[in-house]
Amino acid sequence: MCFKNLPVEFDAGGKPFLRNGVGDPYATATATPPEGPRQLTSENIQELLKRNGHIKSLDFDPVTRVAGALAFHTVADFENRKVLEARSVATLFRGYEVIMVGRDPRDAIYITSRACGVCGGVHSVCSALATEMAIGCCPPPMGVLIRNLALALEFLYDHPLHLHLLAGPDYSQVIVEPTNPSLYERAKVTEAHHTAIHGYRTIADLMTDLNPLTGRLYVEALHMTRVAREAYVLICGKYPHPQTIVPGGMSSTINLTVMNEMFVRLSQFFDYSKKLALIWDDITDFFYDANPEYKKVGARRANMIDTGIFDHPDAYDATYESANDWGNRRWATPGAIVEGKLVTTDLKTINIGLEEFVEHSFYEEWTGDGQQQHFATDPSGNPLSPYHPWNKVTRPRPQGTNWKEKYTWDTTPRWDRQSMEAGAYARLWNTAVARKMPESPFMESTGHSLKMRVPAGALPETELEWHVPEVWNAFERNRARAYCQAFTTLIAFEQWRAAMDRLKDGDSRTSTKFEIPKRGTQQGVGFWGAGRGYLTHHLTLDRGAVANYQIVTPSSWNASPTDRWGQPGPYEEAVLNTPLLEETNDPAKFRGLDVLRAIRSFDPCMPCTTHIQSEGGLITREVNTCACGLDD
């Protein structure tokens, strides 16, 4: 039994079924609220603001150094150094889900790619996976391997972008010294533990090179993102919006020249991934030792979800019926983690536990109106909620912001009606604990950690080990993201080696021919992931055209608002638990650094958080917060 809140049970053979004797099994008004933290009511907050001069609103609009438009509202108690209210506001609105309706499903590869200028390739592949499932088309092994390589190269770009260009400056000298001068003085005399690998003698040296624009780590990260993109275009044609991803595989031409040019670039990440992991080990350990209160910055329950990525070419058959089998043979294992415990690795269980609500979002409810085909079960006959994305219709209803009612363009995805977060670290956690990854001479999942043997470059071969953390917070998100660089590098190396073996055997076929069925209704779902975590595309075809298209992105999970049971979204919960540790007692000088650290640790990417259509230009908003969101 992995569901605590949904009315779904499992028989002796593991087949899910609706609990007997429940009249309206998916009712929300009468459902028992999920366990977990709750926001104070708007009335409570207003009363506190009236009675206490030390309680003030603290708003960030926009939150800078994120991809896209995110605003964040808080009410802070400056006397007790804590946050009383947190509201995540997605201010960006798009039209991709509505744009897709009525189109040929092949268009989704190119249209949904534009959902994000940072990670468009993951949307392209996710849409191809959904289409393959709907039309019954499976790529050849080389097509699977080249897709995996493309995904890994996209991540090798994305992880340094997050760590040293977007989140990293929050730990730099120009930020830490003015907000926490005593902490920076301590950094000057604190020796770094891993100088032999990354070359920095003190923590202050690290902080100085994390400075935006001028720091060497910042500049190096810019360079490494270019290296990854150079390798990516060898097999995908262009970046950020690839041209070689098709249902049934890839249209790339693969030969020894392409593979050798790719390896020249991939091998540069052997040394870089060693440095990245150990730099963030040293930064994290320094903050913990300096003040244990930093363990509370961005802290929340270890509730995570991921569908896994990197298919095994001998296992993937593109069918929903076999999804549990091929999902569990992925290099990164699917999984749902609740309160730090892995409760399932089955893709179909992950899928049927998914619901999407709009209680505090600028949308209309869609259930029970008869205008959308309702699927009571998935293609395997497992029960589906009326709030599942296959049953969802995107209906925007713009209006004024009201914390008690509607305040964001993001929806509220929940799994088993619990607030889950998405992240690259969920892949590490699932893979480390499940112990299902394919055999590799470079990686081993131990049940509590992930061991990685990174080959020699200029630096010697190095053993890295990411451990499931005892606490979950902003620092552990960044540390895990750094270890994901090594994890991704080694998976890319494995895919490259496997592709080279096939080339030597004369196997260079990368795609399978297909036909789009022109009759009947078909369903498909792409189970994939972005650099920042979980990604699914839910597709319904009717007579060969798209009847419905729904996208659930990592930031849809993380930026989600408080749900109808008062349970905050992941950003909100993390900020509510964050102490205010800046060395000032003057609210006017307060910069909200720890709040921003908490938010940015999730790697917010808002362009693909919301997908709606605005009839006649109902609302316009110009947002220039981050160059990486301007490609789309």
Side-chain angles (χ1 to χ4, degrees):
M1 173 68 70
C2 67
F3 294 127
K4 295 194 299 183
N5 302 300
L6 286 178
V8 178
E9 298 179 355
F10 293 80
D11 63 20
K15 176 75 174 175
F17 63 91
L18 281 176
R19 189 176 301 140
N20 293 326
V22 182
D24 186 359
Y26 288 103
T28 59
T30 58
T32 302
E35 296 176 4
R38 296 289 184 270
Q39 291 258 35
L40 291 174
T41 67
S42 296
E43 291 80 8
N44 293 151
I45 292 296
Q46 289 304 314
E47 186 63 26
L48 288 170
L49 286 167
K50 289 177 183 177
R51 294 187 310 176
N52 300 279
H54 57 273
I55 295 178
K56 299 182 181 296
S57 292
L58 179 68
D59 294 337
F60 305 88
D61 185 7
V63 177
T64 55
R65 272 190 281 120
V66 304
L70 172 67
F72 210 89
H73 164 75
T74 68
V75 173
D77 181 341
F78 286 95
E79 184 175 286
N80 295 299
R81 296 299 184 111
K82 64 181 183 179
V83 176
L84 303 177
E85 182 180 47
R87 302 286 180 174
S88 174
V89 184
T91 61
L92 192 66
F93 46 92
R94 324 287 303 263
Y96 293 98
E97 293 174 339
V98 177
I99 289 170
M100 278 308 306
V101 174
R103 291 180 177 268
D104 188 299
R106 288 168 289 193
D107 291 348
I109 290 173
Y110 306 103
I111 291 174
T112 66
S113 169
R114 271 67 184 175
C116 185
V118 181
C119 52
V122 300
H123 286 285
S124 293
V125 173
C126 200
S127 64
L129 294 170
T131 302
E132 285 166 1
M133 186 178 290
I135 68 176
C137 175
C138 180
M142 183 64 92
V144 173
L145 291 171
I146 299 305
R147 271 188 189 170
N148 289 345
L149 269 169
L151 181 70
L153 292 168
E154 199 162 3
F155 289 2
L156 293 180
Y157 154 81
D158 211 351
H159 297 334
L161 177 74
H162 165 69
L163 287 166
H164 286 178
L165 276 70
L166 305 180
D170 289 337
Y171 308 88
S172 68
Q173 173 263 326
V174 295
I175 299 294
V176 174
E177 187 174 20
T179 56
N180 294 86
S182 67
L183 188 69
Y184 186 69
E185 289 302 313
R186 180 179 179 130
K188 288 180 180 178
V189 296
T190 301
E191 299 284 334
H193 295 306
H194 299 103
T195 302
I197 296 294
H198 56 57
Y200 290 95
R201 188 180 66 83
T202 69
I203 299 300
D205 294 336
L206 272 174
M207 288 180 171
T208 299
D209 272 359
L210 281 171
N211 284 342
L213 302 179
T214 60
R216 285 191 298 174
L217 289 172
Y218 187 99
V219 174
E220 182 184 36
L222 278 175
H223 169 70
M224 296 308 290
T225 62
R226 174 174 178 166
V227 172
R229 283 178 283 182
E230 287 175 351
Y232 185 86
V233 300
L234 291 170
I235 53 177
C236 291
K238 63 188 286 284
Y239 187 94
H241 306 302
Q243 296 295 297
T244 61
I245 296 166
V246 294
M250 302 283 290
S251 64
S252 314
T253 299
I254 303 300
N255 54 40
L256 288 176
T257 300
V258 169
M259 298 302 288
N260 288 333
E261 288 185 10
M262 187 185 304
F263 185 74
V264 167
R265 292 161 177 84
L266 174 61
S267 61
Q268 296 179 47
F269 287 92
F270 292 153
D271 284 350
Y272 186 63
S273 62
K274 298 165 194 171
K275 291 172 55 179
L276 212 59
L278 298 178
I279 282 171
W280 283 91
D281 267 347
D282 282 350
I283 291 172
T284 301
D285 293 344
F286 167 75
F287 275 85
Y288 285 179
D289 291 341
N291 185 351
E293 286 291 290
Y294 279 110
K295 293 184 178 181
K296 299 177 183 177
V297 172
R300 73 177 297 268
R301 297 165 295 162
N303 283 6
M304 303 177 203
I305 191 165
D306 195 76
T307 62
I309 43 175
F310 303 117
D311 285 306
H312 196 292
D314 298 334
Y316 177 64
D317 68 2
T319 68
Y320 188 81
E321 188 59 38
S322 301
N324 290 347
D325 298 327
W326 51 258
N328 275 294
R329 290 189 64 184
R330 287 181 153 179
W331 283 87
T333 308
I337 296 165
V338 178
E339 300 289 354
K341 303 296 182 184
L342 183 64
V343 297
T344 186
T345 63
D346 289 343
L347 281 176
K348 287 192 279 190
T349 302
I350 292 170
N351 184 48
I352 68 171
L354 172 61
E355 296 178 295
E356 206 170 349
F357 301 103
V358 294
E359 183 79 7
H360 290 293
S361 310
F362 298 136
Y363 303 96
E364 292 181 4
E365 293 280 1
W366 67 88
T367 58
D369 58 12
Q371 296 184 34
Q372 166 70 15
Q373 182 173 1
H374 174 66
F375 296 101
T377 64
D378 69 5
S380 293
N382 304 318
L384 274 188
S385 168
Y387 298 99
H388 188 276
W390 265 328
N391 290 320
K392 179 191 169 195
V393 182
T394 303
R395 291 183 182 148
R397 186 161 68 91
Q399 57 189 282
T401 298
N402 184 319
W403 306 125
K404 186 177 180 180
E405 297 174 2
K406 294 179 180 287
Y407 59 87
T408 180
W409 283 105
D410 191 10
T411 60
T412 309
R414 293 291 184 262
W415 188 82
D416 192 22
R417 301 197 166 167
Q418 299 184 81
S419 176
M420 310 286 281
E421 72 178 90
Y425 35 77
R427 297 182 191 124
L428 283 187
W429 199 313
N430 290 334
T431 306
V433 173
R435 305 187 72 177
K436 293 185 177 183
M437 72 180 300
E439 284 191 24
S440 168
F442 306 106
M443 294 169 284
E444 177 191 358
S445 57
T446 69
H448 57 82
S449 68
L450 193 62
K451 293 182 177 180
M452 293 167 275
R453 182 170 66 85
V454 187
L459 294 170
E461 177 180 294
T462 303
E463 297 275 353
L464 299 175
E465 185 172 9
W466 179 82
H467 297 269
V468 171
E470 295 179 1
V471 294
W472 189 241
N473 57 31
F475 290 89
E476 297 301 339
R477 288 186 192 95
N478 289 328
R479 190 209 301 255
R481 190 71 179 268
Y483 274 83
C484 275
Q485 186 78 349
F487 181 51
T488 303
T489 298
L490 295 176
I491 289 176
F493 188 33
E494 287 282 23
Q495 308 310 299
W496 182 87
R497 296 200 314 154
M500 288 293 284
D501 287 342
R502 289 193 171 273
L503 274 182
K504 291 174 185 177
D505 292 338
D507 179 10
S508 61
R509 188 169 67 94
T510 58
S511 63
T512 301
K513 290 184 178 180
F514 62 89
E515 296 264 346
I516 303 295
K518 299 300 182 182
R519 295 183 179 180
T521 299
Q522 295 83 30
Q523 289 173 269
V525 54
F527 295 114
W528 208 231
R532 57 194 50 78
Y534 176 113
L535 178 66
T536 53
H537 286 208
H538 292 80
L539 165 69
T540 302
L541 295 181
D542 182 27
R543 290 169 290 179
V546 174
N548 196 17
Y549 204 99
Q550 295 295 325
I551 302 172
V552 183
T553 68
S555 291
S556 296
W557 289 96
N558 295 339
S560 65
T562 297
D563 61 28
R564 58 188 62 194
W565 298 284
Q567 186 179 206
Y571 291 175
E572 295 177 343
E573 182 182 344
V575 169
L576 285 169
N577 291 330
T578 295
L580 309 180
L581 301 175
E582 292 177 42
E583 296 174 19
T584 179
N585 291 318
D586 183 357
K589 296 180 180 179
F590 188 78
R591 298 175 63 174
L593 175 58
D594 295 303
V595 169
L596 292 169
R597 281 176 176 149
I599 297 169
R600 291 192 186 117
S601 69
F602 289 89
D603 189 12
C605 184
M606 309 313 291
C608 52
T609 303
T610 55
H611 310 85
I612 67 100
Q613 184 181 39
S614 177
E615 299 287 349
L618 286 173
I619 303 176
T620 59
R621 177 184 173 90
E622 181 179 353
V623 179
N624 296 304
T625 60
C626 171
C628 59
L630 300 182
D631 292 329
D632 53 324

